[in-house]
Amino acid sequence: MARDDESDGKTPKSLNSFIEIAVEKKSDDGLTDDEEEEDEGGTELSRQPSVVPSLYSRHSSVQSEFYHRDTSRPGYDLRWSKVCVSAGSFQILDHAWGAAYHAQTTAILGPVSSGKTTVLNVLAGRQRRASGCVMLDEREVRPSDYARSVAYVMQDDALIPEVTVREAVEFSAKLQRHSFKSHDRLVRSLLHELDLSRCADMRVGGGGSGRKGISGGQRKRLSVAIQLVTSPEIILLDEPTSGLDSESALRCVAVLAAVAKLGAIVLTTIHQPGSDVFDLLDRLVVMKRGCVMYAGAREDVLDTFAARGFPAPEHFNVAEHMLKVAHLDDNTLAMAGFFARDATPSSSITTKEDDDDDDDDGRWDLGRSSFEVRHSEPGLLPTAELCEDLPAVVDNDSAPISTQLRVLIERDVLIEVRQFHALVSRIVVDVFSTAVIACIYYDAGREDYAKKDRLDNQFNSLSLICLFSLAGNAMSVILTVAYERRLFVVEYLSGTYAIAPYIISKVAIQLVKTYCLNVSTIFVAYMLVGFRSNFWVLTSIIWALSITTASIAFCVSAATPDAKTATELYPIIFMPQYLFCGLFVRNTYIPSFLRWARYCCALTYSLNLAVLEEFTDSRCRQHSDEPELAAAACKELKNALLVDANSAPRAWAVLAGMFVAFRAIGAIALHYTGAEHAY
């Protein structure tokens, strides 16, 4: 298809001048005095032909402070054909096809539920199951091969409520533009181009934080700014103008069009653009119910619709006209010549598990790395070889692991500081609950160990404090992981950071935070109950239990799709901890064929350590008027709990192993299931 290379206007020398001229042109160029008066009255006009697209010709010399691309490397062209996606018997995409060229802005339009977002998910490598052909510069590739090279701005933003607009862009720049000399200059340029300078120091807010922050339009522009940090070659955007007023929408699309002028592929979905936004587009893909009605240059769409019996009325918004036609009966549109299927020849890519199924020819699994190519044309190289031969779509400028870890810890510390009220609330609740338990068993630890009922009270108070620490911390982690999952998936799939520094940063913050909580609660219990063990040793035991159960909760939450499912699994995971710890039923009374379960419970090892520390033989004899009787009572308690006097080192080792193992399993689960749960 023809691509307009001519420019009939003065060439702007900077990206910002492009944007400013585009915004000004909508009210200054090509209008008579009468039309200007009508436009001031609020009537939206369609100016055909428009002078705005000429400002974005491919040969314009554009410089940008935030978008830096290797101009010695040619731009890429992206094509897709025969793309099918289904959910059961429902066909989401039915042989969808189209193209997006470098240095041009392509928009996918169509009614609601026409498959626009699904096309973006397929091209971004984030659709779990699909079939079809994707070509990058005439070479067939699998979308997952270049998924991390794509900047994808989704319709539902994933932002951190506690950081400011400037900080959100800064963190992204530090993580993804490591070699950039001046991050401050990059951030200022992005904020200026996307009209975010005035709210740069406002917190993002929203997102369930309960804090009012920036507006919906500003959130959308911030999402775009974060993705543009990497100067990507391929930019996919899902409804970037939703929630924006006409001026903001125009400026947002103008920025994208100017970035496209620098050689990038810009592909966006737009539901119903205004005339000025429509004039900034170069190519269109019009869809309905997963089928393509039109794919080609914007200038040709009116002629195409008119040739098929649907001419646009004079002075009528072209996009509105196309959507009006798209709502007609499918048979009427098919008879008119719409819904033609692209017949571009291509090889069929299948997964190995589908290799023996002839009915699945042409299907590839975007979520797997193993695949085979069935040749339908002689001389076609295997896809793996093509991908190795293909230059990197985006230069890898991600920060090294050490820098990622430092930046993520810096970000998490900032979030915790700004959520200090939540930490204080947690401390108040934990201290109050511990104080209630301690008051019930007031001075139990100061009684004579020879009195068996007093000894049992002291053990019960110790067990309840352990149980409370386990339950409260586990539920907090489950809710936190569910809350942060979407942000992690968006950042991880875009290559912002590796999973290892993300997990380590979260663990580092949690270790410190949990220890502070445990110190405050154990201090209250220590003073009221009167425990005789070393305060710091007892605190460390409870802390080890807390962080180990937090790892178990993290693993469960990471492997489940949402907080509700993880919460439903909570009793199955943690009820055995309560039953086999020895508080409600002494371990000697548990049937022998069930006793093995206690070795799978972190609470068992923590409680054993606490008992060994609190009820040592010397301490039992020292704090009793009847030393021999007290020593016998303590020994009887340990025997009932099946506590070995030499098991302390083994218990510490098991707790450490469980902590590391469940974190690792949770990280693997987050890696493999995060994308599936997010889309």
Side-chain angles (χ1 to χ4, degrees):
M1 296 182 183
R3 296 166 63 180
D4 185 15
D5 292 343
E6 299 300 325
S7 175
D8 58 359
K10 184 178 179 180
T11 301
K13 297 299 182 183
S14 70
L15 182 67
N16 193 47
S17 64
F18 261 131
I19 301 165
E20 296 299 336
I21 293 175
V23 174
E24 291 172 2
K25 285 291 181 181
K26 75 168 196 169
S27 59
D28 294 340
D29 287 337
L31 297 180
T32 64
D33 293 340
D34 293 336
E35 288 174 331
E36 288 181 357
E37 291 176 2
E38 185 177 3
D39 191 39
E40 291 173 359
T43 303
E44 190 176 38
L45 301 177
S46 176
R47 290 171 291 283
Q48 304 166 356
S50 171
V51 298
V52 177
S54 65
L55 298 172
Y56 296 87
S57 83
R58 292 179 57 212
H59 297 295
S60 296
S61 176
V62 185
Q63 303 296 327
S64 169
E65 291 188 2
F66 72 81
Y67 190 88
H68 297 265
R69 180 182 172 275
D70 183 5
T71 55
S72 64
R73 188 175 64 203
Y76 298 95
D77 293 337
L78 183 66
R79 297 177 178 84
W80 61 97
S81 62
K82 304 177 183 177
V83 177
C84 298
V85 176
S86 60
S89 60
F90 181 71
Q91 196 72 23
I92 301 174
L93 293 181
D94 186 7
H95 289 76
W97 58 280
Y101 296 142
H102 72 278
Q104 292 191 1
T105 304
T106 304
I108 304 177
L109 294 86
V112 176
S113 301
S114 59
K116 303 186 295 294
T117 300
T118 306
V119 170
L120 294 187
N121 287 341
V122 169
L123 297 178
R126 301 185 185 183
Q127 185 67 38
R128 304 305 297 177
R129 191 73 169 164
S131 65
C133 174
V134 177
M135 309 286 289
L136 199 60
D137 275 2
E138 306 300 334
R139 289 174 286 187
E140 187 171 354
V141 295
R142 186 176 54 184
S144 59
D145 293 327
Y146 63 85
R148 289 190 177 235
S149 301
V150 175
Y152 189 7
V153 181
M154 292 178 290
Q155 186 172 0
D156 298 326
D157 54 66
L159 302 170
I160 304 174
E162 290 77 21
V163 302
T164 65
V165 171
R166 189 189 308 278
E167 290 165 346
V169 182
E170 281 179 351
F171 284 127
S172 180
K174 290 177 181 178
L175 290 168
Q176 300 186 83
R177 295 296 293 274
H178 177 64
S179 64
F180 201 77
K181 295 181 179 179
S182 176
H183 289 120
D184 290 339
R185 182 180 177 184
L186 171 66
V187 171
R188 285 197 305 270
S189 177
L190 272 167
L191 295 178
H192 174 67
E193 303 288 6
L194 287 162
D195 195 24
L196 291 170
S197 299
R198 289 180 296 178
C199 63
D201 297 316
M202 289 180 59
R203 293 193 196 178
V204 174
S209 65
R211 179 187 180 92
K212 182 176 175 58
I214 59 179
S215 67
Q218 290 168 334
R219 293 177 67 89
K220 181 67 68 174
R221 280 177 279 151
L222 175 58
S223 298
V224 174
I226 290 173
Q227 293 298 326
L228 290 180
V229 160
T230 59
S231 297
E233 295 270 5
I234 302 176
I235 306 171
L236 307 179
L237 307 99
D238 189 14
E239 301 283 358
T241 60
S242 63
L244 302 183
D245 58 67
S246 59
E247 289 288 336
S248 299
L250 176 62
R251 187 176 184 90
C252 181
V253 176
V255 169
L256 298 174
V259 169
K261 283 302 303 168
L262 299 170
I265 294 174
V266 175
L267 177 61
T268 177
T269 63
I270 297 182
H271 180 60
Q272 192 168 350
S275 297
D276 300 296
V277 170
F278 186 81
D279 288 342
L280 296 177
L281 305 176
D282 297 300
R283 296 183 59 82
L284 303 174
V285 177
V286 184
M287 300 185 64
K288 180 183 181 181
R289 295 185 182 177
C291 299
V292 174
M293 293 177 57
Y294 172 83
R298 175 185 58 84
E299 293 84 359
D300 298 334
V301 67
L302 286 178
D303 293 338
T304 301
F305 272 65
R308 293 173 179 172
F310 300 99
E314 189 176 359
H315 299 300
F316 196 84
N317 186 297
V318 179
E320 290 184 6
H321 173 67
M322 289 189 299
L323 290 175
K324 184 177 180 181
V325 173
H327 279 93
L328 296 176
D329 180 72
D330 290 357
N331 292 331
T332 302
L333 296 176
M335 291 292 292
F338 292 106
F339 305 133
R341 293 184 176 182
D342 182 51
T344 303
S346 64
S347 63
S348 298
I349 305 175
T350 69
T351 60
K352 289 183 178 179
E353 63 187 9
D354 292 330
D355 191 44
D356 296 330
D357 187 355
D358 293 336
D359 294 332
D360 279 344
D361 247 8
R363 177 171 293 276
W364 27 258
D365 187 343
L366 298 170
R368 300 176 181 267
S369 58
S370 61
F371 58 92
E372 295 179 352
V373 177
R374 293 177 177 173
H375 300 290
S376 59
E377 296 181 19
L380 183 65
L381 294 175
T383 302
E385 296 180 20
L386 288 172
C387 293
E388 290 175 1
D389 182 57
L390 192 67
V393 178
V394 177
D395 294 329
N396 184 11
D397 195 22
S398 297
I401 297 297
S402 59
T403 302
Q404 292 181 20
L405 180 59
R406 177 182 58 79
V407 173
L408 289 173
I409 290 178
E410 177 185 346
R411 187 175 76 173
D412 288 341
V413 169
L414 180 64
I415 293 172
E416 291 296 335
V417 169
R418 291 180 178 168
Q419 287 183 331
F420 185 71
H421 61 283
L423 178 61
V424 171
S425 300
R426 173 81 183 276
I427 292 176
V428 170
V429 171
D430 286 4
V431 167
F432 175 78
S433 302
T434 304
V436 172
I437 296 173
C439 286
I440 294 174
Y441 295 98
Y442 181 73
D443 265 355
R446 299 184 178 93
E447 297 290 342
D448 192 332
Y449 282 170
K451 300 177 181 179
K452 189 175 184 305
D453 58 335
R454 300 297 182 180
L455 187 67
D456 287 342
N457 283 342
Q458 187 175 356
F459 170 73
N460 291 342
S461 65
L462 193 61
S463 301
L464 287 174
I465 290 171
C466 289
L467 285 174
F468 175 75
S469 175
L470 179 150
N473 204 46
M475 186 56 67
S476 174
V477 171
I478 286 176
L479 297 177
T480 300
V481 172
Y483 176 72
E484 296 178 348
R485 181 195 298 275
R486 181 168 178 79
L487 175 66
F488 164 77
V489 170
V490 170
E491 293 182 332
Y492 181 61
L493 291 181
S494 63
T496 304
Y497 44 69
I499 195 167
Y502 173 81
I503 297 297
I504 294 173
S505 67
K506 293 296 181 184
V507 169
I509 297 299
Q510 190 177 70
L511 291 179
V512 176
K513 182 179 176 181
T514 304
Y515 195 80
C516 293
L517 285 168
N518 290 148
V519 167
S520 60
T521 54
I522 299 305
F523 177 78
V524 173
Y526 197 86
M527 299 303 294
L528 293 177
V529 177
F531 294 119
R532 292 192 171 110
S533 57
N534 182 280
F535 172 79
W536 297 109
V537 174
L538 182 59
T539 301
S540 298
I541 293 171
I542 303 300
W543 177 65
L545 172 63
S546 298
I547 61 176
T548 302
T549 54
S551 291
I552 298 173
F554 170 76
C555 181
V556 172
S557 188
T560 51
D562 50 52
K564 186 178 185 303
T565 305
T567 304
E568 295 292 341
L569 292 175
Y570 180 90
I572 300 176
I573 302 298
F574 292 101
M575 187 59 70
Q577 306 266 0
Y578 306 151
L579 297 178
F580 295 102
C581 69
L583 172 61
F584 302 106
V585 181
R586 293 292 189 262
N587 291 329
T588 51
Y589 295 128
I590 298 176
S592 57
F593 65 89
L594 286 177
R595 288 181 187 175
W596 61 269
R598 62 190 294 269
Y599 297 108
C600 302
C601 302
L603 183 58
T604 297
Y605 298 100
S606 299
L607 198 54
N608 288 355
L609 287 170
V611 168
L612 289 173
E613 175 63 24
E614 182 69 21
F615 304 108
T616 61
D617 186 68
S618 59
R619 189 171 288 126
C620 290
R621 294 175 182 273
Q622 179 182 355
H623 298 284
S624 175
D625 296 333
E626 301 177 83
E628 295 300 326
L629 188 60
C634 291
K635 184 177 181 180
E636 182 183 353
L637 174 63
K638 295 174 186 176
N639 290 336
L641 295 172
L642 301 178
V643 177
D644 183 0
N646 300 317
S647 63
R650 183 173 67 249
W652 282 110
V654 171
L655 287 174
M658 293 177 71
F659 169 76
V660 174
F662 280 107
R663 284 286 172 177
I665 295 172
I668 295 172
L670 205 60
H671 168 75
Y672 282 106
T673 66
E676 182 177 354
H677 294 157
Y679 299 98

